[in-house]
Amino acid sequence: MTTSIPLPLTQFVIKVHSRCDLACDHCYVYEHADTSWRSRPKVIGVDILAKAAERIGEHAAAHRLPAVRVVLHGGEPLLAGPDRLRRAAEALRAALPDGCALDLRIHTNGVLLSREFCSLFAELDVRVGISLDGDRAANDRHRRFADGRSSHPQVLRAVGLLNEPEYRHLFAGLLCTMDVENDPVAVYRALAELRPPAVDFLLPHATWDEPPKRPAALGATPYADWLLTVHRLWETDGRPFAVRTFESVHRTLRGFSSLTESLGLEPSDLAVLETDGTFEQADSLKTAYDGAPVTGLNVFAHSLDDLARHPGIAARQSGLAGLSEACRSCSVVRSCGGGLYAHRWRSDDGGGSFDHPSVYCGDLMTFINGIAGNGGSTAVPAQVVGEPLPGALTPAQLDELAHGYGSADTVAALGRSQLRLTRAMLAAAWDASGQGRPEAWALLAELDVAAPAAVDAVLAHPYARAWAARRLAGDLPVGLGPLAALAAAAAVRAGRGDSVTVPVRGGWLHLPTLGRVAVPDGEAVVTGRPDGFEVRASDGSVRTVLDEPLRRVRPAGGWTVALEDTDPLRDSHDHPVSGRLSDGELLDWTGALREAWELLGRDLPGYAEGIGAGLATVTPLRPGPTGRDVSSAARQAYGAVAIARPATAPTLALLLAHEFQHVKLGAVLDLVDLYDRADTTLYFAPWRPDPRPFEGLLQGTYAHLAVTEYWGTRTLAYDGLPGGAADRAREQFALWRRYTAEAVERLATSGALTGTGARFADGMRATVAPWLALPLPAAAEQAADRARRERAGV
């Protein structure tokens, strides 16, 4: 991607009031290094609000954003009053282009929250987050009025309002700033009793100049110990509410994106607008030094693209390359991400810089390793390929999948089982080669102990298993080079200085999960460095930069997906893959994925959650014949689907949901016998003229659960639109609900299902049954009948 295309900003904090009615002693706005609040207007001007809305709208239109999140903030935003808050909400909604949703929130200390405000927020669809540090003793340690009075009763009253049925949908969650002198059990229990939909546990802002308190009696890593205590309670209670800190560690350990700026390597997409109209970087930088967040840009003279190109913003978007040398070589860097940018500040290194580990470095490592089980990753198991991996799914999770869906936790369990299977297949394929343990295999084994996260990230790549599958299938022309490439990619990710020799064919050296480097054919030595990598080619030349990096898209809501157009094993699908995407094609894909993800989250949430947790890669295919959409899922490429970009984003959403059904079911079949694998009978699917093996019927039926539900949601989405879209949606829904119902019954009466398979079929039947009861116009049913006859050749 060219540098002229900025990474779009999708999250905006608008300061509507610069003062506060509390005097919290841990506040980064008033109690830390930055003093800019003193010279700013108390209330944001209506002209600034209007221009800010215009800037966000033009940015959303230019980058085809499906959604933006805006947080009204302060100081204390409720001090701005209902009229100013109404102006802000109405201006923002009016400025956004068609197809761009507004996730509008307000974050308050809760003291002034009233029924009048809640009614206003219900009218304007504004979700409310509240700051609360736990029970009264914990909250009063820091969150008091200037005269020392407790704010706890007022905050509980505010939470009580949001828990009333009329306003519960507005409750976004609680924000709790940790204090290690507060009892973590008491804090957790006090917050859990309030039934929040989410809780954010935040480390108190600190730097190397102003380090956090560490009472000697609490040990070397008190913040990690505090968080791990809360995490154990949260897990024991069945995760009763969302916790971004915990979920981000769980996600990044599996190779997915973080949900918070304070963890992981995801690029920041946040901008702040102050009450005087100036753009700033993240508020947390106020804790570093006076003026740290300043950009020199303002809403009247500068666009959000200008802001996105600002060096300070870019520094928080540079991933691993933007971290200190110590961080780049750390075993948990993919989850930690160096910690919050502000927490890296140190002034005693020649003027001061953020080129340091977090001041919470030790706590973060202990916390992440604690969640990961001490960071351990078992060596390649001596598992017989094809043998079910027991204990990977609970009965409840299998039932959830049987209904067609799959929560993030359930799909994560599938991912873990697939990673174990990949390891087993790699071991079996290498053993079958009869070539002992050369440097590539030895390096993988060594890194599996020293840097397990690096190995897991590489082996979790969908096409890591493709080499092993081909070798085990007897495709011996597939040489041993891909295994060396996996070891090289792991070495680069580990950044310890390890080297491995990789054969080069066709002028490209490919590093799975990273991209490829153009080098002459022969053998190249790849060395992972703390600051990147070095490739020494057969002609003696040295390369340190990827010519074609693997590019990732972050549509919204924490989902990150790679557009894989470099991996030579991506041809594992049934259709020809495309070549390297141009910048224009990449932008088209980015916009389409954002729109498709917005549709999935809104209309198909039961499928979207699993897609967000398990679909890591989309491989672009070449377009099919005119008028035909082309897509595929490969059994030996868990976490990937292949698609030729369709003409519309709704069609892309349908293809993503359809193909990921195949991905999930394939992973289930690797774990559980749903049918008699010795059955050789061919079965007719209602939608195909040719008979298929039993697994083909099962796969098609399972995929069409998502197809049917998609068309059901389209009947509502298109209702009232001109051009017959709603009629077509009703016809498709009528057709596919019948097809899917017939297919489920064909499976159930086949005699080929195991006991578990029969239970799985019952789950599919339970999903289909309500659809059959929905009334549709006679015209839609008649059109479905005609389509069935045409497909059957009648």
Side-chain angles (χ1 to χ4, degrees):
M1 184 185 296
T2 63
T3 57
S4 64
I5 304 172
L7 186 71
L9 304 171
T10 65
Q11 301 186 69
F12 306 93
V13 172
I14 297 180
K15 301 298 191 73
V16 294
H17 202 284
S18 65
R19 305 297 192 268
C20 189
D21 47 359
L22 292 183
C24 306
D25 60 17
H26 56 11
C27 180
Y28 57 82
V29 176
Y30 308 109
E31 301 295 334
H32 284 240
D34 189 79
T35 60
S36 59
W37 63 274
R38 300 179 186 275
S39 61
R40 289 199 167 104
K42 290 183 178 180
V43 185
I44 193 169
V46 294
D47 57 335
I48 295 174
L49 279 176
K51 192 64 178 179
E54 178 187 332
R55 291 296 193 194
I56 293 173
E58 68 185 16
H59 193 70
H63 294 278
R64 291 182 284 185
L65 301 178
V68 296
R69 173 176 290 185
V70 179
V71 180
L72 305 178
H73 213 284
E76 171 48 50
L78 295 184
L79 289 172
D83 290 343
R84 194 57 50 98
L85 297 177
R86 176 183 290 278
R87 278 180 177 267
E90 292 177 346
L92 287 163
R93 292 196 188 282
L96 289 180
D98 290 342
C100 182
L102 174 63
D103 179 0
L104 184 58
R105 304 181 179 220
I106 190 166
H107 195 88
T108 170
N109 59 36
V111 169
L112 295 177
L113 191 67
S114 63
R115 197 168 297 278
E116 177 189 5
F117 273 123
C118 286
S119 297
L120 175 69
F121 298 150
E123 176 192 345
L124 300 174
D125 193 19
V126 181
R127 299 186 67 201
V128 184
I130 289 185
S131 295
L132 178 64
D133 289 349
D135 58 6
R136 180 160 184 160
N139 202 65
D140 284 356
R141 191 182 292 275
H142 300 288
R143 294 188 183 278
R144 291 179 174 269
F145 288 95
D147 60 5
R149 287 180 296 124
S150 170
S151 65
H152 193 252
Q154 292 93 327
V155 181
L156 290 189
R157 176 188 51 78
V159 174
L161 268 176
L162 290 174
N163 270 325
E164 291 184 7
E166 183 179 1
Y167 304 127
R168 174 68 186 183
H169 67 288
L170 302 177
F171 196 2
L174 301 174
L175 184 149
C176 172
T177 300
M178 296 169 47
D179 188 313
V180 292
E181 293 183 313
N182 288 333
D183 179 0
V185 177
V187 169
Y188 172 81
R189 293 297 183 209
L191 298 180
E193 286 174 5
L194 299 176
R195 300 186 296 112
V199 177
D200 273 354
F201 293 102
L202 303 185
L203 292 166
H205 288 314
T207 67
W208 289 100
D209 292 359
E210 298 289 340
K213 63 181 178 182
R214 295 186 180 277
L218 296 181
T221 56
Y223 295 91
D225 299 339
W226 198 98
L227 282 170
L228 288 170
T229 297
V230 174
H231 180 265
R232 284 191 291 272
L233 293 168
W234 180 69
E235 290 280 15
T236 300
D237 287 352
R239 303 185 180 186
F241 44 77
V243 180
R244 288 193 305 170
T245 303
F246 300 158
E247 291 165 354
S248 291
V249 174
H250 284 288
R251 288 173 59 86
T252 53
L253 286 171
R254 303 195 308 269
F256 298 120
S257 58
S258 173
L259 303 176
T260 171
E261 184 185 15
S262 61
L263 292 167
L265 294 171
E266 292 299 309
S268 172
D269 56 1
L270 172 71
V272 178
L273 180 73
E274 291 287 352
T275 56
D276 60 359
T278 56
F279 285 128
E280 288 202 340
Q281 301 173 62
D283 258 11
S284 55
L285 287 173
K286 293 179 186 294
T287 201
Y289 60 89
D290 200 4
V294 170
T295 65
L297 308 179
N298 70 79
V299 72
F300 293 104
H302 303 95
S303 71
L304 288 169
D305 273 12
D306 294 332
L307 182 62
R309 295 188 182 97
H310 185 275
I313 300 289
R316 295 184 298 118
Q317 297 179 337
S318 53
L320 191 64
L323 301 184
S324 68
E325 181 177 352
C327 288
R328 290 195 298 267
S329 60
C330 179
S331 61
V332 301
V333 66
R334 298 284 162 180
S335 289
C336 170
L340 193 68
Y341 192 72
H343 296 173
R344 308 172 201 168
W345 172 256
R346 191 165 193 154
S347 64
D348 60 356
D349 61 348
S353 78
F354 295 95
D355 188 27
H356 302 280
S358 168
V359 71
Y360 290 104
C361 178
D363 290 281
L364 289 171
M365 176 172 283
T366 300
F367 171 54
I368 292 165
N369 283 337
I371 287 183
N374 296 321
S377 177
T378 58
V380 177
Q383 180 83 40
V384 178
V385 177
E387 180 183 342
L389 299 169
L393 290 175
T394 66
Q397 288 175 323
L398 189 61
D399 285 344
E400 183 185 339
L401 290 162
H403 283 76
Y405 307 116
S407 68
D409 286 342
T410 297
V411 173
L414 290 178
R416 288 191 293 271
S417 72
Q418 288 290 293
L419 181 57
R420 291 197 295 271
L421 183 56
T422 295
R423 287 167 168 268
M425 291 179 66
L426 287 170
W430 184 255
D431 287 344
S433 72
Q435 298 196 23
R437 293 175 61 85
E439 62 168 353
W441 190 254
L443 178 58
L444 277 174
E446 179 183 345
L447 291 176
D448 204 27
V449 175
V455 176
D456 283 353
V458 172
L459 299 191
H461 185 57
Y463 302 114
R465 197 159 86 201
W467 168 78
R470 295 184 189 186
R471 293 283 297 185
L472 291 171
D475 189 1
L476 297 180
V478 179
L480 303 178
L483 183 66
L486 291 172
V492 172
R493 285 181 169 275
R496 303 188 320 151
D498 302 288
S499 297
V500 63
T501 302
V502 183
V504 179
R505 302 290 183 269
W508 290 102
L509 184 148
H510 178 252
L511 297 172
T513 74
L514 299 172
R516 60 184 185 177
V517 183
V519 292
D521 284 3
E523 289 189 337
V525 177
V526 179
T527 304
R529 305 289 189 197
D531 58 347
F533 66 88
E534 174 188 285
V535 175
R536 188 170 296 277
S538 57
D539 64 354
S541 62
V542 175
R543 302 297 306 275
T544 59
V545 177
L546 293 166
D547 292 282
E548 293 186 354
L550 178 63
R551 296 172 293 190
R552 291 177 169 84
V553 174
R554 188 178 185 181
W559 183 42
T560 300
V561 62
L563 282 167
E564 180 58 88
D565 55 3
T566 65
D567 197 309
L569 294 173
R570 71 189 189 279
D571 62 353
S572 300
H573 301 276
D574 296 333
H575 303 281
V577 297
S578 74
R580 180 69 168 177
L581 298 178
S582 67
D583 283 347
E585 290 170 328
L586 179 63
L587 278 176
D588 289 340
W589 265 106
T590 301
L593 282 168
R594 286 185 178 134
E595 293 178 42
W597 181 244
E598 172 69 16
L599 183 151
L600 288 167
R602 184 184 65 241
D603 295 345
L604 294 169
Y607 297 94
E609 185 176 350
I611 291 171
L615 181 56
T617 298
V618 172
T619 295
L621 297 175
R622 294 180 192 171
T626 302
R628 179 187 169 195
D629 293 313
V630 177
S631 62
S632 175
R635 181 67 176 275
Q636 302 298 347
Y638 178 83
V641 300
I643 297 174
R645 186 173 62 83
T648 68
T651 302
L652 178 58
L654 171 62
L655 297 177
L656 288 169
H658 173 273
E659 296 301 343
F660 195 66
Q661 291 292 94
H662 291 304
V663 172
K664 288 190 299 185
L665 184 58
V668 169
L669 292 172
D670 284 335
L671 291 169
V672 182
D673 281 331
L674 297 181
Y675 65 94
D676 179 4
R677 295 179 185 270
D679 182 82
T680 58
T681 306
L682 297 180
Y683 297 83
F684 280 96
W687 52 85
R688 291 178 66 111
D690 54 323
R692 312 189 70 198
F694 189 87
E695 184 174 340
L697 175 62
L698 177 60
Q699 284 277 6
T701 307
Y702 193 69
H704 286 127
L705 290 175
V707 172
T708 307
E709 188 157 342
Y710 168 87
W711 284 115
T713 67
R714 295 298 85 199
T715 63
L716 299 176
Y718 294 156
D719 192 33
L721 294 180
D727 289 340
R728 169 169 165 72
R730 284 189 283 268
E731 293 166 9
Q732 290 295 307
F733 181 54
L735 177 65
W736 286 107
R737 71 178 181 178
R738 283 200 220 171
Y739 275 160
T740 308
E742 290 177 15
V744 170
E745 295 309 315
R746 197 162 295 176
L747 290 169
T749 59
S750 65
L753 291 173
T754 63
T756 304
R759 181 173 174 175
F760 202 86
D762 286 342
M764 290 193 284
R765 183 188 286 119
T767 297
V768 173
W771 298 335
L772 298 174
L774 292 174
L776 287 175
E781 297 286 13
Q782 292 164 3
D785 284 337
R786 288 195 298 272
R788 286 163 59 86
R789 289 194 297 270
E790 289 172 3
R791 285 179 183 245
V794 177

